[in-house]
Amino acid sequence: MSVDARRINFLDNLVIKKEGVLSMDLYIKSTDCNSLLHFHSFHPKPIKKFITRSQTQRINRIVSDNMVCEHRLRELHTKFLSRGYPESILNQSHETDLNYGTRTTDRIPFVHSNHPFANILHRTIRRHWHLLREADLNIPECTKHQDKLVKADIGKDTLPPRQLHLHHPRCGTFPCLHCNQCGNVQKGNTIYHPHSGKQFKIKDYYTCNIPYMVYLIKCPCGLAYVCETTQPIKDGI
């Protein structure tokens, strides 16, 4: 633990008091040995690109003085070069960071949770956007936000098992195999109208663990109830 009347550090932030004015700098431990991910490691290439961009953004976000910021960026540039990163990726990361946070469009952002069927949702919105054209002439800009998971509150053992597919799943309705509603799910890729007998094909893969669905409940009297929910079927019924 260190004590200083003019500077104090917290995590990677260094607060400096000079002539009654506070400024921010990047705090680097004296034991730092440049442990950045090596470019020739067996990690996906997008991860390596994102590391260069995130580290550049971190310096621009923390350091308040422009001259000190340029100095820190040159230090970071040297560190990445020593870890095998090519100049092209570093320059691209710097140019991307200069435009970070500046909107280049007036399109309304449509933010939603990250989901395996997000791309299908994007295509559906664009295909039927003419229905809302009177409200806005521009197709919304679709983006995702990562749901936060607090491990201190939600333990690993309490999470439901994740269903993985080795290939594209078949179209139809299937039980998720880990909820109380699985016994009420009619497995298959076809449903029939209770009176006319008209056949309807299910054109995608659905389970009782998928939100934002239109579902049908058959009554013993022969009628059918069609409704929709934004919650998973296992929670919405």
Side-chain angles (χ1 to χ4, degrees), residues 17-222:
K17 181 180 180 181
K18 184 177 181 181
E19 298 179 356
V21 179
L22 296 179
S23 61
M24 298 288 295
D25 194 4
L26 182 68
Y27 176 71
I28 302 176
K29 292 184 177 180
S30 57
T31 57
D32 179 71
C33 57
N34 191 13
S35 58
L36 292 170
L37 180 67
H38 201 281
F39 185 76
H40 298 293
S41 64
F42 290 95
H43 286 76
K45 191 173 181 180
I47 291 181
K48 302 170 188 176
K49 289 185 176 181
F50 180 76
I51 289 177
T52 60
R53 179 181 173 184
S54 63
Q55 292 298 313
T56 303
Q57 291 178 358
R58 182 171 71 109
I59 292 178
N60 286 329
R61 183 175 61 251
I62 293 176
V63 182
S64 57
D65 186 86
N66 293 334
M67 295 183 62
V68 178
C69 182
E70 289 294 332
H71 176 68
R72 295 300 183 191
L73 290 175
R74 287 193 296 269
E75 289 182 344
L76 180 65
H77 189 87
T78 304
K79 288 183 177 180
F80 276 120
L81 289 177
S82 65
R83 299 296 288 174
Y85 286 78
E87 287 276 1
S88 58
I89 292 182
L90 298 179
N91 294 335
Q92 181 182 3
S93 174
H94 182 68
E95 293 176 358
T96 303
D97 185 65
L98 291 177
N99 299 324
Y100 178 74
T102 58
R103 289 184 57 85
T104 58
T105 178
D106 294 330
R107 293 160 62 187
I108 301 174
F110 176 74
V111 183
H112 59 87
S113 300
N114 196 3
H115 192 273
F117 297 116
N119 292 331
I120 299 177
L121 178 62
H122 293 178
R123 291 195 297 268
T124 303
I125 291 176
R126 290 183 171 90
R127 186 168 61 251
H128 299 289
W129 187 247
H130 63 280
L131 300 175
L132 300 175
R133 184 167 294 177
E134 294 181 359
D136 197 306
L137 298 178
N138 298 316
I139 297 178
E141 184 179 15
C142 297
T143 183
K144 307 173 186 177
H145 73 84
Q146 187 68 30
D147 294 333
K148 295 182 180 179
L149 178 62
V150 182
K151 296 183 178 179
D153 297 335
I154 305 179
K156 186 177 181 180
D157 297 336
T158 62
L159 296 176
R162 183 180 179 186
Q163 192 170 9
L164 301 177
H165 303 278
L166 298 179
H167 56 85
H168 193 277
R170 293 182 300 170
C171 295
T173 305
F174 304 92
C176 68
L177 303 179
H178 54 77
C179 77
N180 296 329
Q181 297 293 340
C182 289
N184 301 323
V185 175
Q186 181 177 346
K187 184 177 179 180
N189 61 350
T190 306
I191 59 175
Y192 297 90
H193 193 278
H195 292 287
S196 65
K198 184 177 180 180
Q199 177 180 338
F200 297 91
K201 287 287 186 180
I202 301 176
K203 300 181 180 180
D204 215 322
Y205 174 82
Y206 298 98
T207 70
C208 38
N209 195 33
I210 295 179
Y212 299 100
M213 290 182 60
V214 177
Y215 60 94
L216 181 143
I217 300 177
K218 290 186 177 181
C219 181
C221 67

